[in-house]
Amino acid sequence: MNNLRTVADVLEKSSRPLLCGHIMPDGDSLGSVLALGMGLQSVGKEVTIVSSDPLPDLYRFLPGIDEIVVGSVPDRKYDLLVVVDCSVPERLGSTITPTVDSGLPVVVIDHHVNDQPFGHHNYVRSSAAATGEIIMELLELLGVSINLDIAINLYTAIVTDTGSFRFENTTPETHSKAAELVKFGVPVSRLSNLIFGEQPLKSIRLLEAALNSLEVSDCGRIAWISIDRDKIDALGAEDQHIEGLISYPRKIKGVELAISFRELDKQKVKVSFRSKYTVDVNFLAKKFGGGGHVRASGCTIQGTLQEVKEVVLKEAQEIFRGC
Amino acid sequence: MNNLRTVADVLEKSSRPLLCGHIMPDGDSLGSVLALGMGLQSVGKEVTIVSSDPLPDLYRFLPGIDEIVVGSVPDRKYDLLVVVDCSVPERLGSTITPTVDSGLPVVVIDHHVNDQPFGHHNYVRSSAAATGEIIMELLELLGVSINLDIAINLYTAIVTDTGSFRFENTTPETHSKAAELVKFGVPVSRLSNLIFGEQPLKSIRLLEAALNSLEVSDCGRIAWISIDRDKIDALGAEDQHIEGLISYPRKIKGVELAISFRELDKQKVKVSFRSKYTVDVNFLAKKFGGGGHVRASGCTIQGTLQEVKEVVLKEAQEIFRGC
């Protein structure tokens, strides 16, 4: 594993880097890639940013987001592929994954638990609450002056991946960095409203429906919600409105493991896991071909909603020895 | 208005201070009074802390909370009354308010907007996100060594009054102080779960009921929920489970003013106001004899739920010129 100075050196030598984050982009992935892209541009690099997946409306406020190319990698000349916040090539998405083996040198900057990062140069620090924290340090090494636009991207990266400084990953360093960023004039309340606060009315109605589906295991330690496709469509809600719903089963006193079952189609279910203190949900998701963090992970499983619920709940109950 | 050094001097000269916060105690009030109490004890003072109102279960985890005397002021000899996080004597509660005029010197330490604090010595800084921020500085002036117990109380004060660093009042100073406190080993995730995350199942069921009552004005800028007494009682919920429900109408995109109507009894309604960017809800609550902050305030109004809703919504709609 390289140190951050080595990664900075590689970036300094590049003139035309191609930057990308992961599929189903979130605040850390987008904020990190945008902050790095702006920083590299400010020191004279010709930067291209690409995303395989469409960008969620939620993050439309991020400065520079319109510069991200969605879909295929533009046909330009690159001298470096820089991957942020992504631990496996598959999570770059079908339009970008092949670029990893195209002969370009690859840099990976990430905070997911990962013993075998796939870049030629890798900087992985799982103790960082967000990849945005690492990018902030990297920009300093690159001699980039942080401005308000960069600060908003970095702040968004940090605030989303820490659930607004609430998750276990929050460190003194996280707050120190936030203090620095807020000094640039980051509009804290407005961003919080945009990220956590503001939801379309249909999203609140979807919450009502999700709460209707809420079930709790007899032992009270596992709680889950199920959202079927028809319900989502009937409310005109999109997948992005569903992301946060898992926090509700997780909120319940005594619940250690929260699960959300979201029907993608009649034969495919996206399963999300959240734990509070003890259960390693990265391990649990891996059993179904997924992954993530110790306290937050997910996977996609083939089968009907009912079938997937049965197999997942069985596995979950075994953790608590027949709960 | 005194400076904080003067207040520290007054505290230093006291041997047997009586400390208190406000009625319906919240995280800032309790965390501040406990941190100050522990700090003063550690430098040899004989401290008594009293609360007119019972202490919410939610805050049972606060170190030292069992030392707080609930109800009447104990019959001891005091040489100073120290009031934290409270801008008017009435909000001390019926058992404590008379003490203000009992001849004891009174110190007021607060962050609510207040031109005329009622103490003999006052330190009011409305730019502080929480009274806890001021207490942290005061403890330093008093030469108190912060320990983990004090840090947990101060962190709780700050995290609750900033809504986990999301509200407009959050400053770089707020994050710097949080960074310092987290260094003492404050269990961020556990506290977040206790304060924001964990809710009894009945509380989630109450949310479902509240979402059922949600209404939005035609112009989409005012949203409100109504919770009647019977519903609360049927679910076995307590008032403390209702506090956070107002965040749901506030969450809705386009809503600037959120209101919650909570039936206290058949002739009395507690009204809470929250605004996002423009409406001064302190001003609005004052019209009904209440008060608070620019973005969060409340009042209690005599009348049936229906009557109170009508009069309050009329006033609210006038702000938006007939919205």
Side-chain angles (χ1 to χ4, degrees):
Chain A
M1 197 78 67
N2 297 122
N3 64 32
L4 199 54
R5 179 69 260 173
T6 310
V7 166
D9 290 343
V10 173
L11 288 173
E12 269 168 359
K13 277 174 203 143
S14 161
S15 306
R16 295 177 305 279
L18 174 65
L19 275 57
C20 60
H22 58 70
I23 49 169
M24 299 186 85
D26 58 17
D28 190 20
S29 175
L30 291 171
S32 291
V33 81
L34 285 168
L36 182 58
M38 286 179 165
L40 290 173
Q41 249 164 354
S42 77
V43 293
K45 314 290 183 192
E46 203 177 294
V47 174
T48 302
I49 309 179
V50 64
S51 170
S52 193
D53 273 1
L55 312 173
D57 287 345
L58 170 61
Y59 294 111
R60 280 279 152 213
F61 70 88
L62 286 176
I65 194 153
D66 291 333
E67 306 292 317
I68 299 180
V69 180
V70 174
S72 300
V73 176
D75 188 18
R76 298 176 191 160
K77 215 176 158 187
Y78 307 106
D79 59 10
L80 188 67
L81 174 64
V82 185
V83 174
V84 304
D85 200 40
C86 182
S87 51
V88 289
E90 295 71 35
R91 275 181 56 80
L92 294 175
S94 57
T95 64
I96 306 175
T97 306
T99 314
V100 172
D101 295 319
S102 67
L104 275 182
V106 179
V107 169
V108 171
I109 305 163
D110 191 22
H111 77 129
H112 293 88
V113 181
N114 187 5
D115 293 336
Q116 295 181 308
F118 61 94
H120 302 98
H121 307 278
N122 300 293
Y123 185 79
V124 176
R125 192 168 83 216
S126 64
S127 65
T131 296
E133 284 195 20
I134 303 171
I135 300 295
M136 192 168 164
E137 291 169 31
L138 181 59
L139 292 179
E140 202 183 326
L141 290 179
L142 291 167
V144 169
S145 303
I146 292 182
N147 58 26
L148 178 57
D149 282 350
I150 293 178
I152 288 174
N153 278 307
L154 292 174
Y155 179 87
T156 301
I158 293 173
V159 83
T160 52
D161 254 29
T162 59
S164 199
F165 310 97
R166 291 181 188 180
F167 298 160
E168 214 173 15
N169 57 3
T170 307
T171 66
E173 199 48 43
T174 313
H175 278 294
S176 296
K177 286 193 162 71
E180 272 188 71
L181 294 171
V182 173
K183 277 184 200 155
F184 287 99
V186 169
V188 171
S189 160
R190 194 166 283 267
L191 290 186
S192 297
N193 284 333
L194 288 169
I195 299 168
F196 302 107
E198 300 235 307
Q199 289 180 8
L201 186 54
K202 60 188 170 188
S203 181
I204 301 283
R205 296 302 182 203
L206 190 68
L207 169 60
E208 209 183 325
L211 294 182
N212 257 311
S213 80
L214 174 71
E215 292 176 82
V216 183
S217 66
D218 289 345
C219 68
R221 295 171 77 186
I222 310 174
W224 61 95
I225 51 170
S226 322
I227 308 145
D228 61 51
R229 194 72 242 169
D230 293 345
K231 204 168 279 170
I232 295 169
D233 294 344
L235 285 161
E238 291 155 53
D239 289 353
Q240 57 180 291
H241 304 130
I242 304 162
E243 293 291 341
L245 294 176
I246 194 168
S247 67
Y248 291 89
R250 187 182 179 280
K251 267 180 213 283
I252 299 166
K253 216 169 190 162
V255 167
E256 165 61 19
L257 174 62
I259 311 173
S260 131
F261 298 96
R262 182 206 317 184
E263 199 176 46
L264 295 178
D265 60 41
K266 289 294 167 199
Q267 279 299 322
K268 211 195 293 175
V269 178
K270 167 140 181 61
V271 186
S272 300
F273 300 102
R274 297 289 183 277
S275 70
K276 271 184 200 153
Y277 307 119
T278 55
V279 173
D280 180 349
V281 290
N282 180 39
F283 181 76
L284 184 57
K286 271 188 174 165
K287 290 197 171 183
F288 300 103
H293 302 276
V294 180
R295 300 278 173 261
S297 69
C299 55
T300 300
I301 304 178
Q302 297 291 329
T304 66
L305 188 55
Q306 199 48 42
E307 285 163 3
V308 172
K309 276 170 76 169
E310 271 169 32
V311 64
V312 169
L313 288 172
K314 190 162 172 277
E315 200 69 52
Q317 280 160 345
E318 267 176 26
I319 297 173
F320 299 101
R321 304 215 170 121
C323 166
Chain B
M1 197 81 66
N2 298 122
N3 63 31
L4 199 55
R5 180 68 261 173
T6 311
V7 166
D9 290 342
V10 173
L11 289 172
E12 269 168 359
K13 279 175 202 142
S14 161
S15 307
R16 295 178 305 278
L18 173 65
L19 273 57
C20 60
H22 58 72
I23 49 170
M24 300 185 82
D26 57 18
D28 189 21
S29 174
L30 291 170
S32 291
V33 81
L34 284 167
L36 181 60
M38 286 180 164
L40 290 173
Q41 249 165 355
S42 77
V43 293
K45 314 291 184 191
E46 203 177 291
V47 175
T48 302
I49 308 179
V50 65
S51 169
S52 191
D53 274 0
L55 311 174
D57 286 346
L58 170 60
Y59 294 111
R60 279 281 152 214
F61 70 86
L62 286 177
I65 195 156
D66 291 334
E67 306 292 315
I68 298 180
V69 179
V70 173
S72 301
V73 176
D75 189 17
R76 296 175 193 160
K77 216 176 159 188
Y78 306 106
D79 58 11
L80 186 67
L81 174 64
V82 185
V83 174
V84 305
D85 198 41
C86 182
S87 50
V88 289
E90 295 70 35
R91 275 183 56 81
L92 294 174
S94 57
T95 63
I96 305 175
T97 305
T99 314
V100 174
D101 295 318
S102 68
L104 274 182
V106 178
V107 170
V108 171
I109 304 164
D110 190 23
H111 77 129
H112 292 88
V113 181
N114 187 4
D115 294 335
Q116 295 181 306
F118 60 93
H120 302 98
H121 308 279
N122 301 292
Y123 185 79
V124 176
R125 193 168 81 216
S126 62
S127 65
T131 296
E133 285 195 19
I134 303 171
I135 300 295
M136 191 167 165
E137 293 170 30
L138 181 59
L139 291 179
E140 202 184 328
L141 289 179
L142 289 167
V144 169
S145 304
I146 293 182
N147 57 26
L148 179 56
D149 282 350
I150 293 178
I152 288 174
N153 279 307
L154 292 175
Y155 180 86
T156 301
I158 292 172
V159 84
T160 52
D161 255 28
T162 60
S164 198
F165 309 98
R166 290 183 189 180
F167 298 159
E168 213 173 17
N169 56 3
T170 306
T171 66
E173 198 49 42
T174 312
H175 277 294
S176 296
K177 286 192 161 73
E180 271 189 70
L181 294 171
V182 172
K183 277 184 200 155
F184 287 98
V186 168
V188 170
S189 160
R190 194 167 284 267
L191 290 187
S192 298
N193 283 334
L194 288 168
I195 297 169
F196 302 106
E198 301 235 306
Q199 289 178 8
L201 187 55
K202 59 187 170 188
S203 181
I204 302 282
R205 296 300 183 204
L206 190 68
L207 169 60
E208 209 183 325
L211 294 182
N212 258 309
S213 81
L214 174 69
E215 292 176 82
V216 182
S217 66
D218 289 343
C219 69
R221 298 171 74 185
I222 311 173
W224 60 95
I225 50 170
S226 321
I227 308 144
D228 60 51
R229 196 73 243 169
D230 293 346
K231 202 167 280 168
I232 296 169
D233 293 345
L235 285 161
E238 291 156 55
D239 289 351
Q240 56 181 291
H241 304 132
I242 303 162
E243 293 292 341
L245 294 177
I246 194 169
S247 67
Y248 292 88
R250 186 182 178 281
K251 265 180 213 284
I252 300 167
K253 217 168 190 164
V255 167
E256 164 61 21
L257 174 63
I259 311 172
S260 132
F261 298 96
R262 181 205 317 183
E263 198 176 48
L264 295 177
D265 60 41
K266 289 293 168 199
Q267 279 299 322
K268 212 194 295 175
V269 178
K270 171 141 176 56
V271 186
S272 299
F273 300 101
R274 296 289 183 277
S275 69
K276 270 183 199 154
Y277 306 119
T278 56
V279 173
D280 179 349
V281 291
N282 180 39
F283 181 76
L284 184 58
K286 271 188 176 165
K287 289 197 171 181
F288 300 104
H293 301 277
V294 179
R295 300 278 171 261
S297 69
C299 55
T300 301
I301 304 178
Q302 297 292 329
T304 67
L305 188 54
Q306 199 49 43
E307 286 163 0
V308 171
K309 276 171 75 170
E310 271 168 33
V311 66
V312 169
L313 288 173
K314 189 162 172 276
E315 200 68 53
Q317 281 161 343
E318 269 177 25
I319 296 173
F320 297 101
R321 303 217 171 118
C323 167

